[in-house]
Amino acid sequence: MTDSPTQLEPGGANAIAVALGILGDEWNLWILRHAVDGCRRYGDWMARGSISNAVLSARLAGLTERGLFRKVRYSERPQRFEYHLTHRGAHVWPILLSMWAWERRWAPDSRASLPQMRHTGCDNEFVPELICHTCESAAGLHDVTTLPGPSGHWARSVPDSISRRRSAASGHPSQVLPHTMVLIGDRWSSAMLGALLLGTNRFGEFVDRTTAPPTIVVDRLTRFVELGVAVTEPRPEREDWVTYRLTDKGAAFFPVIALMIAWGQRWFRAPEGPALEFTHIACGGAFIPRLACGNCRAQLKAVSVQIVG
Ligand SMILES: [Zn+2]
Ligand SMILES: [Zn+2]
């Protein structure tokens, strides 16, 4: 059954690693975005953009293996299949919405290629807002406490598949999320971002926490500063040392990460328990992230969101 959660291997990759492995890939996001919009057959996706047959079939196979699609035969001779979104596949839509909203707000260059979102409840274009499912109040990075859970060891949270699956030949989708991909598009970037969101601010702490090679840590921190998600501040004890601090742009990415982790932990279960445990400070309950319409405040449902363009 694809609609019950997948049990992961004891001691292996945890829900965060699996979620990042799936969602840190531009083509997977592109395929899912169009699936939410009704694509089911090869030709449907081929008509939406310049994806190659090889890339499409590899990604569909991977997403089916992970339980986001169900393969359904629609023709006997020749044998042909449709790919139907499962519940877990369909539940990716709030993550896509939050990525588009963040790019639209913080990456002006990509604005023109992003879809518009309309809430049928209030008949307006909207910006989604992260809320707590239990108390329905708004929740940002600083409204939530995060503790490691029993499967939360850093080494288990790093996806091993993103960089391997990428190749120059596969190109990029026409609808890109360039800044999002700097943050989650390779295994070490996402680990570094996680450390930054959890308040890590010194070089040595990044190395210790993420177990990334120091050259990678330097490279990713430089990219984060260039992208404007982190800034450096001098350290009083030595002028050539700096600390790294999350900017507003960096903190504003929290909804994407919170929704990705919640989705991962909903559908991929490590036998030891969750990787991270979130608590909403205001209500004291377990934090279950949801999106609300920024205009009318109603909690968003898939059926009440129209994606245009
Ligand atoms: Zn709450
Ligand atoms: Zn609304």
Side-chain angles (χ1 to χ4, degrees), residues 56-77:
L56 181 58
S57 61
R59 296 307 199 279
L60 285 174
L63 291 166
T64 303
E65 189 190 335
R66 285 300 193 187
L68 284 82
F69 284 112
R70 191 169 46 239
K71 207 171 161 182
V72 179
R73 188 165 57 203
Y74 70 92
S75 159
E76 285 284 354
R77 281 188 200 166

Side-chain angles (χ1 to χ4, degrees), residues 254-277:
F254 175 71
V256 178
I257 293 295
L259 289 163
M260 280 176 64
I261 293 174
W263 177 82
Q265 298 196 143
R266 163 81 177 79
W267 294 104
F268 301 95
R269 305 267 170 93
E272 300 86 355
L276 286 175
E277 289 169 353

Side-chain angles (χ1 to χ4, degrees), residues 93-108 110-111 113-117 125-130 176-177 179-180 249 252-256 259 291-294 300:
W93 69 267
I95 303 169
L96 294 171
L97 246 56
S98 63
M99 285 176 177
W100 296 334
W102 184 79
E103 290 273 339
R104 189 178 291 281
R105 167 72 180 81
W106 298 99
S110 55
R111 206 167 287 163
S113 68
L114 291 167
Q116 302 283 338
M117 297 172 272
E125 279 179 22
F126 69 96
V127 177
E129 198 173 83
L130 192 72
V176 289
L177 297 163
H179 291 210
T180 298
K249 178 177 179 177
F253 198 69
F254 175 71
V256 178
L259 289 163
L291 291 180
C293 169
L300 294 174

